[in-house]
Amino acid sequence: MKTSQDIRRDFIEFFEGKGHTFVRSSPVVPLDDPTLLFTNAGMNQFKPIFLGQAEPAQPRAVNSQKCIRVSGKHNDLEEVGADHYHHTFFEMLGNWSFGDYYKAEAIEWAWELLTGVWGFEKERLWATVHDTDDEAARLWREVTDIAPERILAFGDKENFWEMGATGPCGPCSEIHYYIGEDLGRMKAVGVNAEADYREIWNLVFIQNNRLEDGSLGDLPARHVDTGAGLERIVGVLQKQTSNYSTDLFAPIIEQVAQQTGRAYSVNDSGTPHRVLADHVRMLTFSLADGALPSNEGRGYVVRRILRRAARFGRMLDQHEPFIYKLVDTVVDIMGAAYPEIVERQEHIKKVIQAEEISFGETLDRGLELFTKITAPLSEGDTIPGADAFKLYDTYGFPLDLTELMARERDLEVDSAGFDEAMASQREQARAGGGQAAQQEEVPWTTVKEGTGSEFLGYETTTATGQILKYRIISDKWIDVVLDRTPFYANSGGQVGDTGTLTGGGLELHVMDTNKQVVEGRTEIVHRCHPIKGTIAGPIELEATVDASRRQAIRLNHTATHLMHKALKVVLGDHVHQAGSHVNSDKLRFDLTHYEKVTLEQLTDVERMVNDVIRDNSKVSATEMPFDEAKASGAVAMFGEKYGDRVRVIDVPGFSRELCGGTHVERTGDIGFFKITSESALAAGVRRIEAVTGEGALAYVRRQEALLSELSGELNAPPAQLTGMVRQQRERIKTLEQQLRSAADRSNRDLAGELLAKALQVDGITLLSDRVEVPEMDAFKDLAVAVKRRLESAVVVLGTVLQEKPSLVVAVSDDLSGKIPAGDFIKTVAREINGGGGGSPTLATAGSKDAALLDMAMSRVPDLLAAYLQRTQS
Ligand code: SER
């Protein structure tokens, strides 16, 4: 029987045989498409080609794309685990024509591969076409030998494929396969309706573009985008009606069963196993491509999936982290096809484990609350939005998890009420934080048509450029786009340049520079303070970058590369960049690493980087295709993809990294590199900050100034400071001890004096007096000391501390039953208009009225007599 690896390879080789070039899967985290949280189809990476914004490297391509469908237009989450063929993460096999072949070949080759190479039974296959697409229907009859009655037409919902709310789209033709046991029961109405008819391949004829306003435009050329679900094809070829029984999932299911000690079943009771097997694949691949659990956007999707998985783990009685252990099995199955999960295996496990630990702390309590909330509800009832919000806010239950658990009990969740509770919390937070209202989008004024901005800043910091467009945001801010500019726009972690734009009577101070992409053109936007003049018509401007700031940024940026490499050497290959920020003051680097970087390791990193600085190697920048760069050993960040031309920054013999930033000419330019801090950022991610050049010198000077200040205060040379501080600490300890024993002594003396004042009230020894004490503890200690020395007695002391009267009552054990201190003190406290309480042997009370204290103290003997009378009668 063919393995999933064979099947993936069959597909690729088949289309290579038809003139297609193999293309790597793009990452599941699409960093350059704001319309998508996760890659949801093979065509995502080719979107610019379809839109006519990019040239294809070749007219035909074939690939196996990692896809995630848990949010947005394509979302299969609810089906996952409940059925046997929807997944949050799956692989989409695809063949592509970029303005080359069209419907006929797409249909013919799909049929040839399915029936000729893989042996799908022709009499079980169905083809669907869009009901306006007579051409596709005719081609199915002409180029294949499918029985004509098994070609069906459907409307937009089934046969018009769209990627999302906007983007390339077109009519499609789907291929379905009947997996039922009894061919006699197969019928046309089952297609697109029943689970036994599996959609296995979608051939999309991309010819339209869905625009923002909802209308449909035509694309400049016609393309083919096909997507075949690997998991389902493997299911058919391995003769399994459940994808979870194929070699892609079975080992994970087995691992779940083994770890939990709960056997798997293909029916409903196996849902937790299936959900776990599915979700751990999604987690593995999304974390490998740089996603991290968080509270918003993509990170929140990851967190939701993880928490959902953890909750299904509870159904299998797992109360300790265990999902992370399943990652090894995923890597065993998929690592050969996707080496990135092997590379990042340890990181992935650490992140999952840390999330499991943190959610594990609240999950059980949240489940308890859920049970409490739902106990009085019956089928069809609704869980109030406020309760769902409490589960979210206090126990970290994503709304969809609460909804899922509600569904299991035939309950609903008031999601509108949840949204309201969320909105009102946000509102409160905003009111508290005084956040500004969102800025309105200000329209641009075009001065001159152009094709975007050319960046000249790798070679120079001054140049002339024409204004293409501008917009006035307020009398303090204006945005300007030039056709050419030396200003670096904020990207790749490096901040935007600042400087000036002058010419034609105009003077602008550039405070920041950013990039924007408009209709495929990259524009560099200078955000400026207007100083002089106005823009009227086309002007040529002299653009001058603040060169000394830029120079400081260059030092920090190259140093970031050196540190990245040094961290890999010192800590290990699991270290990857999880984020970075480079400005003129310092550099900040976030790395995947799961424990504190020790002082010793930091020192090693620092030493290594400074060695390379002193080598004074020449730093070079070269442009090349991505795949070539990767093959040459360059470190790629999360997110670059095939087809990109990339810039490689090379420090010979040390580091090679893809980067669009500005760098020094020789490493010696950096001068000096100093790490200033190391801290934890998130689970599995550490943050290191460092300074270079003048910044490093300034840092050392600041440290020095601090030291000399200390040295002045302590009146000792720096070298003696540590010994000095240690000595002083010892001395403080001795003094404290002396102070304590002096206080004890004076308490004892006071207690001795007080003893003489004891008197008898109805056969009970009473001592009551007003005393002077420094603070509350001494006050209580004194009462206890007197009580001990009197052996059997009631002691009532009064004092004034910080202008407020206080009372303490201490009663010896033998009397504490008859005259409990906590009770008796209330009668005394009433005399000073106060209240108090305590145990039967020791109680305290207080009030605000110090003037009443003397009177109260003088009444204590009477109060005791009255108390005894009252309680004994
Ligand atoms: N884009 C289509 C789909 O995702 C075919 O690849 O189904």
Side-chain angles (χ1 to χ4, degrees), residues 1-11 13 118:
M1 193 177 306
K2 277 183 191 291
T3 65
S4 52
Q5 298 244 41
D6 298 335
I7 295 164
R8 197 187 288 117
R9 199 174 38 238
D10 282 350
F11 186 92
E13 284 176 358
W118 281 336

Side-chain angles (χ1 to χ4, degrees), residues 25 88 203 232 316 396 399 464 515 518 534 621 679 767 793 829:
S25 171
T88 56
L203 319 177
R232 295 183 187 175
L316 300 178
L399 179 63
T464 52
K515 228 190 287 196
V518 178
T534 49
S679 58
L767 187 140

Side-chain angles (χ1 to χ4, degrees), residues 41 43 69 92 161 202 204 225-227:
M43 53 78 67
R69 289 191 174 176
M92 191 183 278
W161 194 85
N202 187 9
V204 187
D225 149 18
T226 89

Side-chain angles (χ1 to χ4, degrees), residues 103-112 135-146:
K103 297 180 188 175
E105 294 86 341
I107 292 171
E108 185 187 342
W109 291 338
W111 188 256
E112 183 185 333
E135 186 192 5
R138 174 176 57 77
L139 286 167
W140 271 106
R141 287 191 298 272
E142 284 177 13
V143 302
T144 77
D145 55 357
I146 191 170

